[in-house]
Amino acid sequence: MDAQFNECMKVARRLVDQSFLESLKQPQPRAIIVATTMVWVQIVISWAIALFGPWWVLWLPFLINSAVTQGMLLWVHEASHFHLFSSRNKNDIWCDIFFAAPVGMSVGAYRLRHMSHHAHLGTEKDEDGYPYREPIKGFRALAWVMVKALSGGMGVWLAADKYGGLARKKASGNSLSPSWLAPMVTILFNGLLFALCIATGRWYLYILLWGYPIAAVAIALNIIRTIAEHQPEDYPLYEDGRERAMMPLARTTVPNWFEKWLMYQANFNYHIEHHLFPAIPQHNLAKLHRHLLKGGFYEHFPRCLQRSGFAKFIRLSRNRKNNDFSDSVQDALAL
């Protein structure tokens, strides 16, 4: 990892006592059960409205499903770090049943790629880094990225590349749930949902309100969020006609309630805290954030804290050349 990001880690570790960190590492099963229940209550409400409500309210289940599918992806991320339960078998089985498989994923396949994101952030070795490497500066670049995402093409490619049969086979050693579990749940849940849509005479809603949010909207939101979290201000930067290596960075977001619900469930907004201390489960990241804030971490690195991922994404799409993270690191080292 880049030396400057290592300096950021050193500053954080000087501010956080090891005993305090250890106190944050314990999973909270009750919190996971409550969060899982909340996800599925939203799914039930969404489909009740979609299947039995008037057509003019279909925007509401579409919005709910877009948020829920994005949230399920983030809970798969949480499970990939074994943060749901102390039992790793239970962690993976729970994740595959309630979060991963309903949207066509498996935690093992996700984990296979995601660990490289922490080990090789900002480099080509990051196999989970496709979103933040998308160039978005200028209207044409921004529009092309959104077309790729919202057309569903990128989602289909990712599904085949990361969660297809070959990917699942490679990832079999990264999951502690049975290899047949995720595919079985995927087929059963989606088959039942499609059957309900057919039974109510609204078969097309399965595509519009479930398939499209998974294959397109979730991908677009993931790109927006990940670019806001990780893309440097000056990316892509060229020197002597060649693209310069990306500087690894992470930003924490403190959004309003709507953006939190839509794009940052599972406390994913505390992103620099997660990268600095990935052993801390999501339910304690807010406590860690407050500890770092009180200790002055964000006084050293003010540009690593933002109010909105959407706003940051738009700012990054403008043609500006300013290496904010490098400036922050230099400021911290001078203290």
Side-chain angles (χ1 to χ4, degrees):
M1 187 170 286
D2 188 273
Q4 290 182 321
F5 195 78
N6 282 335
E7 291 299 333
C8 179
M9 295 174 69
K10 289 177 183 178
V11 171
R13 286 170 179 167
R14 285 201 302 267
L15 296 172
V16 181
D17 182 79
Q18 187 61 35
S19 62
F20 175 71
L21 279 180
E22 290 300 320
S23 72
L24 300 179
K25 291 182 180 180
Q26 188 65 29
Q28 291 185 3
R30 184 176 298 178
I32 300 305
I33 293 170
V34 170
T36 304
T37 302
M38 292 299 294
V39 167
W40 282 90
V41 165
Q42 290 179 82
I43 291 174
V44 171
I45 291 173
S46 170
W47 282 103
I49 295 171
L51 297 177
F52 304 107
W55 64 268
W56 54 267
V57 298
L58 290 181
W59 64 270
L60 182 56
F62 180 84
L63 181 62
I64 294 173
N65 287 345
S66 295
V68 163
T69 53
Q70 180 68 193
M72 293 168 89
L73 168 65
L74 299 182
W75 280 109
V76 174
H77 163 267
E78 184 72 2
S80 74
H81 288 275
F82 298 106
H83 286 168
L84 301 189
F85 299 98
S86 297
S87 166
R88 292 193 167 195
N89 293 79
K90 185 176 182 180
N91 177 92
D92 282 14
I93 291 171
W94 187 279
C95 179
D96 276 346
I97 292 174
F98 293 110
F99 299 129
V103 294
M105 298 169 61
S106 75
V107 67
Y110 183 90
R111 184 180 291 127
L112 180 67
R113 298 285 188 91
H114 183 66
M115 292 304 103
S116 68
H117 177 65
H118 285 269
H120 305 292
L121 177 65
T123 75
E124 293 299 322
K125 293 181 181 180
D126 180 357
E127 296 182 82
D128 212 18
Y130 80 94
Y132 66 77
R133 286 197 289 264
E134 289 285 350
I136 60 167
K137 288 202 185 298
F139 177 77
R140 288 185 180 180
L142 176 63
W144 176 236
V145 169
M146 288 296 99
V147 166
K148 288 192 297 181
L150 293 175
S151 68
M154 186 178 290
V156 171
W157 169 75
L158 283 170
D161 185 53
K162 296 179 70 172
Y163 306 110
L166 182 59
R168 288 178 189 262
K169 186 176 180 180
K170 289 181 179 179
S172 59
N174 288 275
S175 177
L176 297 176
S177 65
S179 60
W180 50 265
L181 181 63
M184 183 190 73
V185 174
T186 298
I187 294 170
L188 288 178
F189 173 78
N190 286 273
L192 176 61
L193 184 57
F194 189 44
L196 286 172
C197 291
I198 293 174
T200 56
R202 299 183 177 186
W203 61 269
Y204 51 88
L205 293 185
Y206 174 81
I207 299 171
L208 295 177
L209 300 183
W210 192 249
Y212 186 73
I214 292 171
V217 181
I219 302 301
L221 290 175
N222 189 45
I223 289 173
I224 291 168
R225 188 194 66 249
T226 309
I227 285 177
E229 290 165 343
H230 290 304
Q231 191 175 104
E233 293 273 358
D234 59 6
Y235 180 80
L237 182 63
Y238 294 90
E239 290 182 353
D240 301 324
R242 300 180 64 182
E243 185 177 338
R244 196 178 75 178
M246 178 184 286
M247 180 181 297
L249 63 96
R251 302 181 182 98
T252 276
T253 309
V254 186
N256 60 41
W257 69 268
F258 179 77
E259 187 172 317
K260 172 92 170 180
W261 172 68
L262 183 64
M263 204 159 61
Y264 292 107
Q265 294 187 39
N267 277 339
F268 204 76
N269 53 300
Y270 299 113
H271 207 60
I272 197 166
E273 287 82 3
H274 172 64
H275 272 267
L276 293 171
F277 305 104
I280 306 302
Q282 60 84 30
H283 54 265
N284 279 331
L285 287 178
K287 187 181 294 186
L288 176 60
H289 172 74
R290 289 192 295 270
H291 188 82
L292 288 174
L293 192 64
K294 185 177 180 180
F297 176 80
Y298 288 105
E299 293 177 12
H300 297 336
F301 301 99
R303 295 188 182 99
C304 290
L305 184 65
Q306 58 193 17
R307 297 292 301 176
S308 168
F310 284 115
K312 186 66 176 182
F313 178 79
I314 295 301
R315 285 197 296 271
L316 288 169
S317 71
R318 297 170 182 168
N319 291 309
R320 294 167 55 190
K321 299 295 182 182
N322 175 35
N323 194 334
D324 63 348
F325 190 69
S326 177
D327 292 344
S328 296
V329 171
Q330 296 301 323
D331 291 344
L333 295 179
L335 294 175

